[in-house]
Amino acid sequence: MRRLTGGIAATLAGTALVGLSLTGCGASAKPASPSPVAAIEHVTPSRPAKPEKLDRSPPMLLSIPRLGITVKPTRLGLRPDGTVEVPPLDRPEEAGWYSRGASPGERGGAVILGHVDGRGKAGVFHKLHTLRRDDTITVNRADHTVVTFAVESVEQVAKSRFPAQRVYGDPGHPGLRLVTCGGTFDKATGHYSDNVVVYARSVTTGAGKG
């Protein structure tokens, strides 16, 4: 995960499935296979699936204490060509929530994307690959609830084999997926070869301030 210019988080091409296959950053636009090529950390979930399921509410603040990250996610939608928007490359400190999917705390896989770097600067998710099982992620929502997620696994996958169903499918509980780029940076194309995906599930909900 080198600090190089031009590494963008990802774009997504819609498919007929619930999930979307990750494309862009030099990846094929074809639907991806769900098979990962490399697991940074992957464990079988053992935590009971009994988190509180909340109604839909946009994320207002994302915090990852161990990485010192606090960011206000923007809303991402679809471009006219059917690919998912990503935060601007000239603002790599931003993260964006895919607003056509679940919101954090709802049942489903809420997805937040961020750059690993851009324009010679480290991106908001530059150190995402260093997260480990049980690290916490908190999301403050517009309805003043706060959802705490615990990391279950971190994976590095080739973009041509992006696990779309696992990332965008319904896990049966409120889940959170953080996505950025990783692997080898190709100076010729300006893209990374892989994606890093963090899988987390909600463990507590509570009332926020304000």
Side-chain angles (χ1 to χ4, degrees):
M1 189 82 65
R2 293 173 292 169
R3 190 173 176 177
L4 297 170
T5 301
I8 76 173
T11 57
L12 299 156
T15 72
L17 301 176
V18 174
L20 300 174
S21 60
L22 197 71
T23 65
C25 300
S28 168
K30 297 179 181 179
S33 161
S35 302
V37 294
I40 297 174
E41 179 184 11
H42 178 62
V43 293
T44 301
S46 59
R47 196 172 288 106
K50 295 183 179 178
E52 180 182 356
K53 299 179 184 68
L54 302 176
D55 293 331
R56 187 172 182 80
S57 183
M60 304 303 289
L61 194 70
L62 171 74
S63 301
I64 309 177
R66 197 166 77 76
L67 301 185
I69 293 173
T70 301
V71 62
K72 296 179 179 180
T74 60
R75 290 196 184 204
L76 302 176
L78 290 176
R79 295 171 174 149
D81 64 358
T83 60
V84 167
E85 298 171 327
V86 296
L89 189 57
D90 60 357
R91 297 201 292 273
E93 72 281 359
E94 293 186 3
W97 164 58
Y98 178 57
S99 61
R100 292 199 174 194
S103 64
E106 274 190 292
R107 172 172 167 163
V111 180
I112 294 179
L113 302 96
H115 295 287
V116 65
D117 54 40
R119 307 301 189 206
K121 300 178 182 178
V124 63
F125 286 165
H126 188 70
K127 295 183 178 180
L128 196 68
H129 66 289
T130 67
L131 286 177
R132 295 294 179 262
R133 180 174 170 82
D134 292 329
D135 282 343
T136 58
I137 303 167
T138 60
V139 178
N140 293 59
R141 303 176 359 133
D143 64 0
H144 304 298
T145 56
V146 179
V147 185
T148 300
F149 296 86
V151 172
E152 292 191 303
S153 63
V154 183
E155 292 182 349
Q156 181 173 311
V157 299
K159 289 180 177 176
S160 61
R161 303 174 70 190
F162 186 77
Q165 185 59 43
R166 187 176 178 205
V167 172
Y168 287 91
D170 182 358
H173 59 264
L176 179 68
R177 286 81 172 92
L178 307 181
V179 183
T180 193
C181 280
T184 303
F185 183 77
D186 186 336
K187 292 183 179 180
T189 65
H191 300 316
Y192 284 91
S193 61
D194 301 342
N195 282 111
V196 172
V197 183
V198 171
Y199 299 89
R201 69 185 298 151
S202 95
V203 289
T204 63
T205 59
K209 296 180 179 179

